[in-house]
Amino acid sequence: MKKSIIVIIFYSILTCMHTVSAKDTKQSADKLFDSYKERFVLALWKVNPSWASSVGYHKYDNKLVIPNDKSRMRELAFCKANLDSLKNFKLSELSDVNMTDYYLIENQLKYSEWGIKEQKAYEWDPSGYNVCGSFADMLSNDYAPLDKRLHNFYLRMAAIPAYYKAAKQNIKNPTKEHTALAIEQNLGGISVFEQDLADALKKSHLDEKEKIKITARAKESVEAIKGYVTRLKVMENKNPRSFRLGKELYDKKFAYEIQSGYSADEIYQKALKHKQELHEEMYELTKELWPKYFNPGTMPRKKLDAIRQMIDELSENHVKADSFQSAIEQQLPALIAFIKNKDLIYIDPSKPLVVRKEPAYMAGVAGASISSPGPYDKNGNTYYNVGSLASWDKKKAESYLREYNHYILQILNIHEAIPGHYTQLVYSNRSPSIIKAILGNNAMIEGWAVYTERMMLENGYGGDRGVNSTEASPEMWLMYYKWNLRSTCNTILDYSVHTKNMSKEDAMDLLVNEAFQQQTEAEGKWKRVSVTQVQLDCYFTGYTEIYDFRQELKNKMGGNFNLKQFHEKFLSYGSAPVNYIKELMLKEMK
Ligand code: ZN
Ligand code: ZN
Protein backbone atom coordinates (compact mmCIF):
# COMPACT_ATOMS: atom_id res chain seq x y z
CA MET A 1 0.00 0.00 0.00
CA LYS A 2 1.32 3.40 -0.91
CA LYS A 3 0.95 6.09 1.64
CA SER A 4 2.47 9.33 0.49
CA ILE A 5 4.50 11.66 2.62
CA ILE A 6 2.30 14.42 1.24
CA VAL A 7 -0.81 12.76 2.61
CA ILE A 8 0.84 12.42 5.99
CA ILE A 9 1.72 16.09 5.95
CA PHE A 10 -1.85 17.00 5.13
CA TYR A 11 -3.05 15.06 8.13
CA SER A 12 -0.53 16.75 10.33
CA ILE A 13 -1.74 20.16 9.20
CA LEU A 14 -5.39 19.22 9.76
CA THR A 15 -4.73 17.84 13.22
CA CYS A 16 -2.41 20.68 14.11
CA MET A 17 -2.89 21.65 17.75
CA HIS A 18 -1.72 25.26 17.74
CA THR A 19 -3.85 27.60 19.82
CA VAL A 20 -5.53 30.34 17.85
CA SER A 21 -3.45 33.14 19.31
CA ALA A 22 -0.15 31.36 18.61
CA LYS A 23 -1.29 30.80 15.04
CA ASP A 24 -2.14 34.46 14.63
CA THR A 25 1.26 35.55 15.88
CA LYS A 26 2.84 33.13 13.46
CA GLN A 27 0.81 34.42 10.55
CA SER A 28 1.57 38.04 11.21
CA ALA A 29 5.27 37.34 11.87
CA ASP A 30 5.38 35.42 8.59
CA LYS A 31 3.60 38.19 6.76
CA LEU A 32 6.11 40.69 8.05
CA PHE A 33 8.98 38.40 7.19
CA ASP A 34 7.63 37.82 3.68
CA SER A 35 7.57 41.52 2.99
CA TYR A 36 11.01 41.90 4.56
CA LYS A 37 12.32 39.22 2.18
CA GLU A 38 10.93 41.11 -0.79
CA ARG A 39 12.70 44.28 0.31
CA PHE A 40 15.87 42.36 1.04
CA VAL A 41 15.99 40.79 -2.41
CA LEU A 42 15.32 44.09 -4.20
CA ALA A 43 18.08 45.76 -2.20
CA LEU A 44 20.40 42.82 -2.82
CA TRP A 45 20.02 43.30 -6.57
CA LYS A 46 20.69 46.99 -6.32
CA VAL A 47 24.01 46.25 -4.63
CA ASN A 48 24.80 43.34 -6.99
CA PRO A 49 23.46 44.16 -10.48
CA SER A 50 25.47 41.49 -12.32
CA TRP A 51 24.30 38.81 -9.89
CA ALA A 52 20.76 40.11 -10.45
CA SER A 53 21.08 39.72 -14.22
CA SER A 54 22.50 36.23 -13.83
CA VAL A 55 19.38 35.05 -11.99
CA GLY A 56 17.10 36.76 -14.48
CA TYR A 57 16.32 40.05 -12.71
CA HIS A 58 17.06 42.52 -15.46
CA LYS A 59 16.25 45.92 -13.99
CA TYR A 60 19.94 46.72 -13.50
CA ASP A 61 21.24 45.28 -16.76
CA ASN A 62 22.65 48.69 -17.63
CA LYS A 63 24.75 48.81 -14.42
CA LEU A 64 28.18 47.42 -13.63
CA VAL A 65 29.63 47.86 -10.13
CA ILE A 66 33.15 49.30 -10.04
CA PRO A 67 34.95 47.05 -7.53
CA ASN A 68 36.50 49.82 -5.43
CA ASP A 69 36.51 50.81 -1.74
CA LYS A 70 33.32 52.75 -2.15
CA SER A 71 31.36 49.75 -3.40
CA ARG A 72 32.84 47.51 -0.73
CA MET A 73 31.77 49.98 1.96
CA ARG A 74 28.33 50.04 0.42
CA GLU A 75 28.13 46.27 0.57
CA LEU A 76 29.25 46.21 4.21
CA ALA A 77 26.62 48.80 5.06
CA PHE A 78 24.03 46.66 3.29
CA CYS A 79 25.08 43.62 5.33
CA LYS A 80 25.01 45.47 8.61
CA ALA A 81 21.61 47.03 7.96
CA ASN A 82 20.08 43.68 7.06
CA LEU A 83 21.64 41.79 9.94
CA ASP A 84 20.02 44.46 12.13
CA SER A 85 16.68 43.97 10.38
CA LEU A 86 16.82 40.24 11.00
CA LYS A 87 17.04 40.91 14.73
CA ASN A 88 13.47 42.22 14.56
CA PHE A 89 12.19 38.70 13.95
CA LYS A 90 11.84 35.92 16.47
CA LEU A 91 12.79 32.62 14.90
CA SER A 92 10.24 30.75 17.00
CA GLU A 93 7.43 32.84 15.48
CA LEU A 94 8.34 32.00 11.89
CA SER A 95 7.10 29.17 9.70
CA ASP A 96 9.55 26.44 8.72
CA VAL A 97 10.10 27.91 5.28
CA ASN A 98 10.78 31.38 6.69
CA MET A 99 12.95 30.01 9.45
CA THR A 100 15.30 28.39 6.92
CA ASP A 101 15.18 31.48 4.74
CA TYR A 102 16.21 33.49 7.79
CA TYR A 103 19.22 31.22 8.30
CA LEU A 104 20.18 31.47 4.64
CA ILE A 105 19.97 35.26 4.58
CA GLU A 106 21.91 35.57 7.81
CA ASN A 107 24.57 33.18 6.53
CA GLN A 108 24.87 35.05 3.24
CA LEU A 109 25.29 38.43 4.96
CA LYS A 110 27.91 37.14 7.37
CA TYR A 111 29.70 35.36 4.53
CA SER A 112 29.86 38.63 2.54
CA GLU A 113 31.21 40.53 5.52
CA TRP A 114 33.79 37.84 6.14
CA GLY A 115 34.76 37.88 2.47
CA ILE A 116 35.48 41.60 2.48
CA LYS A 117 37.04 41.86 5.93
CA GLU A 118 38.94 38.60 6.28
CA GLN A 119 39.23 36.52 3.14
CA LYS A 120 39.99 39.56 0.97
CA ALA A 121 40.05 37.62 -2.28
CA TYR A 122 39.69 40.94 -4.11
CA GLU A 123 43.35 41.57 -3.30
CA TRP A 124 44.81 38.23 -4.32
CA ASP A 125 42.47 36.62 -6.84
CA PRO A 126 42.68 38.43 -10.21
CA SER A 127 40.25 35.94 -11.77
CA GLY A 128 37.51 37.50 -9.67
CA TYR A 129 37.59 40.33 -12.20
CA ASN A 130 35.94 39.27 -15.41
CA VAL A 131 32.97 41.00 -17.02
CA CYS A 132 32.67 38.65 -19.99
CA GLY A 133 30.19 36.15 -18.54
CA SER A 134 27.48 38.66 -17.71
CA PHE A 135 27.81 40.32 -21.12
CA ALA A 136 27.71 36.95 -22.89
CA ASP A 137 24.44 36.16 -21.12
CA MET A 138 22.91 39.38 -22.43
CA LEU A 139 23.57 38.22 -25.98
CA SER A 140 22.70 34.54 -25.67
CA ASN A 141 19.71 34.59 -23.30
CA ASP A 142 16.53 35.55 -25.06
CA TYR A 143 14.77 37.18 -22.07
CA ALA A 144 13.99 40.49 -23.84
CA PRO A 145 13.98 41.81 -27.43
CA LEU A 146 17.49 41.81 -28.85
CA ASP A 147 17.52 45.57 -29.47
CA LYS A 148 16.72 46.22 -25.83
CA ARG A 149 19.37 43.79 -24.64
CA LEU A 150 21.90 45.46 -26.93
CA HIS A 151 20.99 48.87 -25.58
CA ASN A 152 21.64 47.72 -22.01
CA PHE A 153 24.78 45.98 -23.19
CA TYR A 154 25.92 49.36 -24.48
CA LEU A 155 25.10 51.20 -21.25
CA ARG A 156 26.72 48.54 -19.06
CA MET A 157 29.89 48.62 -21.17
CA ALA A 158 30.45 52.26 -20.18
CA ALA A 159 31.83 51.18 -16.80
CA ILE A 160 34.24 48.54 -18.10
CA PRO A 161 37.35 50.76 -18.27
CA ALA A 162 36.75 51.98 -14.69
CA TYR A 163 36.04 48.41 -13.62
CA TYR A 164 39.42 47.15 -14.77
CA LYS A 165 41.17 50.25 -13.49
CA ALA A 166 39.84 49.46 -10.01
CA ALA A 167 40.79 45.81 -10.45
CA LYS A 168 44.37 46.82 -11.18
CA GLN A 169 44.42 48.97 -8.06
CA ASN A 170 42.99 46.22 -5.83
CA ILE A 171 45.42 43.48 -6.76
CA LYS A 172 48.24 43.29 -4.18
CA ASN A 173 50.18 40.04 -4.10
CA PRO A 174 48.10 37.70 -6.25
CA THR A 175 48.67 33.98 -6.36
CA LYS A 176 50.35 32.77 -9.52
CA GLU A 177 47.54 30.32 -10.15
CA HIS A 178 44.72 32.86 -10.02
CA THR A 179 46.76 35.24 -12.14
CA ALA A 180 47.16 32.61 -14.87
CA LEU A 181 43.45 31.79 -14.71
CA ALA A 182 42.49 35.46 -14.93
CA ILE A 183 44.63 35.87 -18.04
CA GLU A 184 43.18 32.78 -19.69
CA GLN A 185 39.54 33.55 -18.92
CA ASN A 186 39.64 37.26 -19.68
CA LEU A 187 41.34 36.63 -23.02
CA GLY A 188 38.83 33.85 -23.71
CA GLY A 189 35.98 36.25 -23.05
CA ILE A 190 37.06 38.93 -25.50
CA SER A 191 35.18 37.15 -28.31
CA VAL A 192 31.96 38.27 -26.60
CA PHE A 193 32.77 41.89 -27.51
CA GLU A 194 34.02 41.01 -30.96
CA GLN A 195 32.50 38.08 -32.86
CA ASP A 196 29.46 37.46 -30.63
CA LEU A 197 28.52 41.12 -30.50
CA ALA A 198 29.02 41.53 -34.26
CA ASP A 199 26.72 38.57 -34.89
CA ALA A 200 24.08 40.00 -32.57
CA LEU A 201 24.29 43.43 -34.21
CA LYS A 202 23.71 41.84 -37.60
CA LYS A 203 20.53 40.25 -36.31
CA SER A 204 19.30 43.44 -34.64
CA HIS A 205 17.10 46.22 -36.03
CA LEU A 206 19.26 49.04 -34.71
CA ASP A 207 20.22 51.75 -37.18
CA GLU A 208 23.77 52.08 -38.50
CA LYS A 209 24.60 55.05 -36.29
CA GLU A 210 23.76 53.12 -33.16
CA LYS A 211 25.65 50.06 -34.32
CA ILE A 212 28.76 52.18 -34.85
CA LYS A 213 28.41 53.64 -31.35
CA ILE A 214 28.11 50.20 -29.79
CA THR A 215 31.03 48.81 -31.78
CA ALA A 216 33.24 51.73 -30.76
CA ARG A 217 32.47 51.18 -27.08
CA ALA A 218 33.07 47.45 -27.43
CA LYS A 219 36.49 48.30 -28.80
CA GLU A 220 37.25 50.37 -25.68
CA SER A 221 36.04 47.45 -23.56
CA VAL A 222 38.36 45.04 -25.31
CA GLU A 223 41.22 47.47 -24.78
CA ALA A 224 40.41 47.63 -21.06
CA ILE A 225 40.36 43.83 -20.81
CA LYS A 226 43.60 43.53 -22.73
CA GLY A 227 45.13 46.26 -20.57
CA TYR A 228 44.25 44.28 -17.46
CA VAL A 229 45.70 41.11 -18.92
CA THR A 230 48.90 42.92 -19.90
CA ARG A 231 49.18 44.35 -16.41
CA LEU A 232 48.85 40.87 -14.91
CA LYS A 233 51.46 39.54 -17.28
CA VAL A 234 54.06 42.21 -16.57
CA MET A 235 53.36 43.06 -12.93
CA GLU A 236 56.15 42.39 -10.48
CA ASN A 237 55.10 39.81 -7.95
CA LYS A 238 58.17 38.78 -6.00
CA ASN A 239 56.28 37.26 -3.09
CA PRO A 240 53.12 35.80 -4.56
CA ARG A 241 50.60 34.65 -2.00
CA SER A 242 50.21 30.89 -1.73
CA PHE A 243 47.05 29.59 -3.35
CA ARG A 244 46.56 27.44 -0.24
CA LEU A 245 43.92 29.04 1.93
CA GLY A 246 45.27 27.86 5.29
CA LYS A 247 43.34 26.15 8.09
CA GLU A 248 41.90 29.21 9.78
CA LEU A 249 40.26 30.73 6.69
CA TYR A 250 39.39 27.27 5.41
CA ASP A 251 37.34 26.23 8.44
CA LYS A 252 35.36 29.46 8.26
CA LYS A 253 34.79 29.21 4.55
CA PHE A 254 33.64 25.61 4.97
CA ALA A 255 31.13 26.66 7.62
CA TYR A 256 29.68 29.49 5.48
CA GLU A 257 29.68 27.69 2.18
CA ILE A 258 28.78 24.09 3.06
CA GLN A 259 26.51 24.77 6.07
CA SER A 260 26.77 21.15 7.09
CA GLY A 261 26.17 19.57 10.46
CA TYR A 262 29.77 18.37 10.21
CA SER A 263 33.01 20.31 10.53
CA ALA A 264 35.57 20.26 7.73
CA ASP A 265 37.74 17.89 9.70
CA GLU A 266 34.89 15.46 10.42
CA ILE A 267 34.01 15.28 6.73
CA TYR A 268 37.66 14.72 5.88
CA GLN A 269 37.78 11.77 8.27
CA LYS A 270 34.56 10.33 6.83
CA ALA A 271 35.97 10.62 3.32
CA LEU A 272 39.13 8.75 4.29
CA LYS A 273 37.04 5.91 5.68
CA HIS A 274 34.73 5.87 2.64
CA LYS A 275 37.72 5.60 0.33
CA GLN A 276 38.76 2.37 2.05
CA GLU A 277 35.24 0.94 1.78
CA LEU A 278 35.09 1.74 -1.93
CA HIS A 279 38.42 0.03 -2.52
CA GLU A 280 37.02 -3.13 -0.87
CA GLU A 281 33.84 -3.11 -2.99
CA MET A 282 35.86 -2.52 -6.14
CA TYR A 283 38.14 -5.41 -5.38
CA GLU A 284 35.19 -7.78 -4.99
CA LEU A 285 33.81 -6.68 -8.39
CA THR A 286 37.22 -6.98 -10.01
CA LYS A 287 37.49 -10.59 -8.81
CA GLU A 288 34.02 -11.29 -10.18
CA LEU A 289 34.75 -9.72 -13.58
CA TRP A 290 38.28 -10.98 -14.05
CA PRO A 291 37.56 -14.29 -15.85
CA LYS A 292 35.29 -12.47 -18.33
CA TYR A 293 38.07 -10.14 -19.51
CA PHE A 294 41.40 -11.81 -18.65
CA ASN A 295 42.95 -15.20 -18.20
CA PRO A 296 42.23 -16.53 -14.74
CA GLY A 297 45.43 -16.64 -12.74
CA THR A 298 46.85 -13.44 -14.26
CA MET A 299 45.31 -11.19 -11.61
CA PRO A 300 47.90 -8.96 -9.88
CA ARG A 301 48.38 -9.71 -6.21
CA LYS A 302 48.07 -6.10 -5.11
CA LYS A 303 44.41 -5.09 -4.84
CA LEU A 304 44.79 -1.61 -6.32
CA ASP A 305 46.82 -2.97 -9.23
CA ALA A 306 44.12 -5.51 -10.06
CA ILE A 307 41.37 -2.90 -9.87
CA ARG A 308 43.35 -0.53 -12.06
CA GLN A 309 43.91 -3.17 -14.72
CA MET A 310 40.19 -3.95 -14.82
CA ILE A 311 39.28 -0.26 -15.02
CA ASP A 312 41.82 0.23 -17.81
CA GLU A 313 40.23 -2.59 -19.75
CA LEU A 314 36.70 -1.25 -19.30
CA SER A 315 37.81 2.32 -20.13
CA GLU A 316 38.60 1.32 -23.69
CA ASN A 317 34.84 1.15 -24.25
CA HIS A 318 34.43 4.81 -25.23
CA VAL A 319 33.04 7.06 -27.99
CA LYS A 320 35.14 8.84 -30.61
CA ALA A 321 36.14 12.47 -30.02
CA ASP A 322 33.85 13.84 -32.74
CA SER A 323 30.77 12.05 -31.37
CA PHE A 324 31.26 13.10 -27.73
CA GLN A 325 28.54 15.74 -27.86
CA SER A 326 26.06 13.67 -29.89
CA ALA A 327 26.52 10.70 -27.54
CA ILE A 328 25.48 12.95 -24.67
CA GLU A 329 22.48 14.21 -26.61
CA GLN A 330 21.31 10.68 -27.38
CA GLN A 331 21.53 9.51 -23.78
CA LEU A 332 19.20 12.12 -22.33
CA PRO A 333 15.95 10.60 -23.71
CA ALA A 334 17.07 7.17 -22.51
CA LEU A 335 17.51 8.48 -18.98
CA ILE A 336 14.08 10.10 -19.02
CA ALA A 337 12.47 6.87 -20.26
CA PHE A 338 14.12 4.85 -17.50
CA ILE A 339 13.05 7.27 -14.79
CA LYS A 340 9.47 7.25 -16.06
CA ASN A 341 9.36 3.50 -16.30
CA LYS A 342 10.69 3.08 -12.77
CA ASP A 343 8.61 5.93 -11.39
CA LEU A 344 11.58 7.59 -9.68
CA ILE A 345 10.69 11.27 -9.98
CA TYR A 346 8.46 13.50 -12.12
CA ILE A 347 10.37 15.15 -14.99
CA ASP A 348 8.71 18.29 -16.34
CA PRO A 349 8.62 17.88 -20.14
CA SER A 350 7.97 21.59 -20.73
CA LYS A 351 11.47 22.62 -19.62
CA PRO A 352 13.85 21.65 -22.42
CA LEU A 353 17.54 21.02 -21.92
CA VAL A 354 19.78 22.34 -24.71
CA VAL A 355 23.18 20.75 -25.23
CA ARG A 356 25.76 23.26 -26.42
CA LYS A 357 29.50 23.66 -26.82
CA GLU A 358 31.02 25.22 -23.69
CA PRO A 359 31.32 29.00 -24.23
CA ALA A 360 34.92 30.25 -24.32
CA TYR A 361 34.60 32.39 -21.18
CA MET A 362 33.86 29.25 -19.15
CA ALA A 363 36.89 27.37 -20.38
CA GLY A 364 39.54 26.14 -18.01
CA VAL A 365 37.72 24.73 -15.00
CA ALA A 366 35.25 21.90 -15.70
CA GLY A 367 34.35 19.50 -18.53
CA ALA A 368 30.57 19.70 -18.45
CA SER A 369 28.16 21.93 -16.57
CA ILE A 370 24.59 23.15 -16.41
CA SER A 371 23.54 26.78 -16.93
CA SER A 372 20.05 27.32 -15.64
CA PRO A 373 17.71 30.24 -16.37
CA GLY A 374 17.13 31.03 -12.70
CA PRO A 375 14.06 32.09 -10.71
CA TYR A 376 13.06 35.11 -12.80
CA ASP A 377 13.76 33.55 -16.18
CA LYS A 378 11.42 30.60 -15.89
CA ASN A 379 11.05 30.29 -19.65
CA GLY A 380 14.74 30.72 -20.46
CA ASN A 381 16.82 27.86 -21.81
CA THR A 382 18.66 25.45 -19.58
CA TYR A 383 21.99 24.73 -21.22
CA TYR A 384 24.14 21.67 -20.90
CA ASN A 385 27.63 23.03 -21.59
CA VAL A 386 29.93 20.41 -23.03
CA GLY A 387 33.64 21.08 -23.47
CA SER A 388 34.72 20.53 -27.07
CA LEU A 389 37.62 18.22 -27.83
CA ALA A 390 38.07 19.67 -31.34
CA SER A 391 41.30 21.56 -30.62
CA TRP A 392 42.83 18.86 -28.41
CA ASP A 393 45.76 16.77 -29.54
CA LYS A 394 45.10 13.06 -30.01
CA LYS A 395 46.78 11.86 -26.86
CA LYS A 396 45.01 14.33 -24.60
CA ALA A 397 41.64 13.58 -26.21
CA GLU A 398 42.16 9.81 -25.86
CA SER A 399 42.96 10.20 -22.17
CA TYR A 400 39.84 12.31 -21.66
CA LEU A 401 37.64 9.88 -23.59
CA ARG A 402 38.95 6.94 -21.60
CA GLU A 403 38.03 8.84 -18.43
CA TYR A 404 34.55 9.65 -19.79
CA ASN A 405 34.11 6.15 -21.18
CA HIS A 406 30.86 4.35 -22.03
CA TYR A 407 30.00 3.85 -18.36
CA ILE A 408 31.19 7.10 -16.84
CA LEU A 409 29.62 9.20 -19.59
CA GLN A 410 26.22 7.84 -18.53
CA ILE A 411 26.94 8.63 -14.90
CA LEU A 412 28.08 12.11 -15.91
CA ASN A 413 24.75 12.64 -17.64
CA ILE A 414 22.85 11.44 -14.59
CA HIS A 415 24.88 13.86 -12.47
CA GLU A 416 24.81 16.93 -14.67
CA ALA A 417 21.45 16.50 -16.29
CA ILE A 418 18.78 13.93 -15.45
CA PRO A 419 17.81 13.41 -12.66
CA GLY A 420 20.82 15.35 -11.28
CA HIS A 421 21.47 19.08 -11.61
CA TYR A 422 19.01 19.86 -14.38
CA THR A 423 16.10 18.16 -12.63
CA GLN A 424 16.99 19.68 -9.27
CA LEU A 425 17.17 23.15 -10.79
CA VAL A 426 13.73 22.80 -12.35
CA TYR A 427 12.32 21.90 -8.93
CA SER A 428 14.31 24.64 -7.25
CA ASN A 429 12.83 27.26 -9.55
CA ARG A 430 9.37 26.03 -8.66
CA SER A 431 10.10 26.46 -4.98
CA PRO A 432 7.94 29.13 -3.38
CA SER A 433 11.02 30.56 -1.66
CA ILE A 434 12.97 33.01 -3.78
CA ILE A 435 15.61 33.06 -1.05
CA LYS A 436 16.36 29.38 -1.58
CA ALA A 437 16.26 29.82 -5.32
CA ILE A 438 18.95 32.51 -5.18
CA LEU A 439 21.01 31.66 -2.09
CA GLY A 440 21.12 27.98 -2.97
CA ASN A 441 23.32 25.69 -0.92
CA ASN A 442 26.03 24.09 -3.04
CA ALA A 443 26.42 21.01 -0.87
CA MET A 444 22.72 20.25 -1.32
CA ILE A 445 22.91 20.90 -5.07
CA GLU A 446 26.03 18.80 -5.68
CA GLY A 447 25.03 16.28 -3.04
CA TRP A 448 21.76 15.70 -4.87
CA ALA A 449 23.54 15.12 -8.19
CA VAL A 450 25.96 12.67 -6.57
CA TYR A 451 23.12 10.97 -4.73
CA THR A 452 21.13 10.39 -7.94
CA GLU A 453 24.05 8.51 -9.52
CA ARG A 454 23.85 5.81 -6.89
CA MET A 455 20.06 5.92 -6.75
CA MET A 456 19.81 5.23 -10.51
CA LEU A 457 22.14 2.24 -10.28
CA GLU A 458 20.34 0.90 -7.24
CA ASN A 459 17.19 0.90 -9.34
CA GLY A 460 18.84 -1.04 -12.10
CA TYR A 461 20.04 1.63 -14.52
CA GLY A 462 23.02 0.41 -16.52
CA GLY A 463 21.90 -3.19 -16.82
CA ASP A 464 21.37 -5.03 -20.07
CA ARG A 465 17.59 -4.65 -20.39
CA GLY A 466 17.34 -0.92 -21.06
CA VAL A 467 14.38 0.75 -19.38
CA ASN A 468 13.35 -2.59 -17.86
CA SER A 469 16.70 -3.31 -16.25
CA THR A 470 16.44 -4.40 -12.66
CA GLU A 471 20.13 -4.72 -11.97
CA ALA A 472 23.08 -2.61 -13.07
CA SER A 473 25.92 -4.66 -14.55
CA PRO A 474 29.02 -5.33 -12.41
CA GLU A 475 30.97 -3.27 -14.97
CA MET A 476 28.65 -0.32 -14.37
CA TRP A 477 28.96 -0.70 -10.59
CA LEU A 478 32.73 -0.90 -10.73
CA MET A 479 32.95 2.22 -12.84
CA TYR A 480 30.40 3.94 -10.62
CA TYR A 481 32.50 3.22 -7.57
CA LYS A 482 35.45 4.67 -9.38
CA TRP A 483 33.38 7.79 -10.06
CA ASN A 484 32.19 7.97 -6.47
CA LEU A 485 35.80 7.66 -5.42
CA ARG A 486 36.26 10.91 -7.29
CA SER A 487 33.81 12.87 -5.09
CA THR A 488 35.33 11.24 -2.06
CA CYS A 489 38.87 12.13 -3.10
CA ASN A 490 37.75 15.65 -4.02
CA THR A 491 37.16 16.18 -0.32
CA ILE A 492 40.40 14.52 0.74
CA LEU A 493 42.29 16.53 -1.88
CA ASP A 494 40.73 19.91 -1.10
CA TYR A 495 41.18 19.62 2.64
CA SER A 496 44.71 18.26 2.35
CA VAL A 497 45.88 20.83 -0.21
CA HIS A 498 44.47 23.87 1.56
CA THR A 499 45.10 22.95 5.20
CA LYS A 500 47.78 20.25 5.18
CA ASN A 501 50.14 21.54 2.54
CA MET A 502 49.72 18.48 0.30
CA SER A 503 52.23 18.60 -2.57
CA LYS A 504 51.25 18.29 -6.20
CA GLU A 505 53.14 15.00 -6.30
CA ASP A 506 51.10 13.54 -3.43
CA ALA A 507 47.91 14.91 -4.92
CA MET A 508 48.62 13.22 -8.25
CA ASP A 509 49.40 10.01 -6.39
CA LEU A 510 46.04 10.15 -4.63
CA LEU A 511 44.11 10.90 -7.82
CA VAL A 512 45.92 8.63 -10.24
CA ASN A 513 46.89 5.68 -8.04
CA GLU A 514 44.14 5.60 -5.44
CA ALA A 515 41.26 7.11 -7.42
CA PHE A 516 42.33 5.56 -10.75
CA GLN A 517 42.03 8.81 -12.70
CA GLN A 518 43.59 9.43 -16.09
CA GLN A 519 46.46 11.88 -16.15
CA THR A 520 44.40 14.60 -17.93
CA GLU A 521 41.62 14.40 -15.38
CA ALA A 522 44.02 14.51 -12.45
CA GLU A 523 45.89 17.48 -13.92
CA GLY A 524 42.57 19.28 -14.40
CA LYS A 525 41.61 18.58 -10.81
CA TRP A 526 44.93 19.93 -9.57
CA LYS A 527 44.31 23.08 -11.56
CA ARG A 528 40.85 23.36 -10.06
CA VAL A 529 41.94 22.85 -6.45
CA SER A 530 44.58 25.51 -6.94
CA VAL A 531 42.02 28.16 -7.96
CA THR A 532 39.05 27.18 -5.76
CA GLN A 533 38.71 26.43 -2.07
CA VAL A 534 36.07 24.36 -0.21
CA GLN A 535 33.95 24.01 -3.37
CA LEU A 536 35.25 20.48 -3.96
CA ASP A 537 33.98 19.40 -0.52
CA CYS A 538 30.36 19.93 -1.35
CA TYR A 539 29.96 16.74 -3.43
CA PHE A 540 30.86 14.23 -0.78
CA THR A 541 29.38 16.20 2.12
CA GLY A 542 25.98 16.67 0.50
CA TYR A 543 25.85 13.12 -0.83
CA THR A 544 26.66 11.62 2.55
CA GLU A 545 24.03 13.71 4.27
CA ILE A 546 21.27 12.93 1.72
CA TYR A 547 21.99 9.23 1.48
CA ASP A 548 22.13 8.77 5.24
CA PHE A 549 18.90 10.73 5.63
CA ARG A 550 17.10 8.57 3.06
CA GLN A 551 18.21 5.40 4.82
CA GLU A 552 17.05 6.83 8.13
CA LEU A 553 13.59 7.59 6.67
CA LYS A 554 13.36 4.16 5.06
CA ASN A 555 13.99 2.57 8.42
CA LYS A 556 11.43 4.80 10.09
CA MET A 557 8.66 4.38 7.51
CA GLY A 558 9.18 0.79 6.52
CA GLY A 559 6.61 -0.25 3.88
CA ASN A 560 5.19 3.27 3.70
CA PHE A 561 8.39 4.67 2.27
CA ASN A 562 7.94 5.78 -1.36
CA LEU A 563 11.06 6.73 -3.27
CA LYS A 564 9.37 9.02 -5.80
CA GLN A 565 7.61 10.96 -3.08
CA PHE A 566 10.79 11.20 -1.07
CA HIS A 567 12.61 12.71 -4.05
CA GLU A 568 9.89 15.19 -4.93
CA LYS A 569 9.36 16.20 -1.32
CA PHE A 570 13.09 16.57 -0.75
CA LEU A 571 13.50 18.82 -3.80
CA SER A 572 10.39 20.86 -3.04
CA TYR A 573 12.24 22.86 -0.38
CA GLY A 574 14.58 24.28 -2.99
CA SER A 575 18.32 24.38 -2.56
CA ALA A 576 18.41 24.61 1.23
CA PRO A 577 21.17 22.98 3.28
CA VAL A 578 20.42 19.25 3.69
CA ASN A 579 20.48 19.66 7.44
CA TYR A 580 17.48 22.03 7.34
CA ILE A 581 15.53 19.99 4.79
CA LYS A 582 15.98 16.96 6.97
CA GLU A 583 14.74 18.83 10.01
CA LEU A 584 11.65 20.09 8.15
CA MET A 585 10.74 16.74 6.64
CA LEU A 586 11.06 14.94 9.94
CA LYS A 587 9.00 17.61 11.66
CA GLU A 588 6.26 17.46 9.03
CA MET A 589 6.13 13.67 9.26
CA LYS A 590 5.37 13.84 12.95
ZN1 ZN B 1 40.67 4.42 -26.87
ZN1 ZN C 1 27.80 18.72 -10.13
Side-chain angles (χ1 to χ4, degrees), residues 244 497 501-510 522-523 526:
R244 302 173 198 274
V497 165
N501 213 26
M502 181 186 243
S503 65
K504 181 175 180 187
E505 202 187 356
D506 288 347
M508 294 304 278
D509 182 60
L510 171 76
E523 292 276 356
W526 174 258

Side-chain angles (χ1 to χ4, degrees), residues 368-370 412 415-416 420-421 442 445-447 449-450 453 483 528 538-539:
S369 65
I370 287 283
L412 176 76
H415 177 107
E416 295 292 341
H421 288 317
N442 242 339
I445 293 169
E446 288 301 345
V450 176
E453 299 159 6
W483 177 264
R528 184 163 165 191
C538 61
Y539 304 85

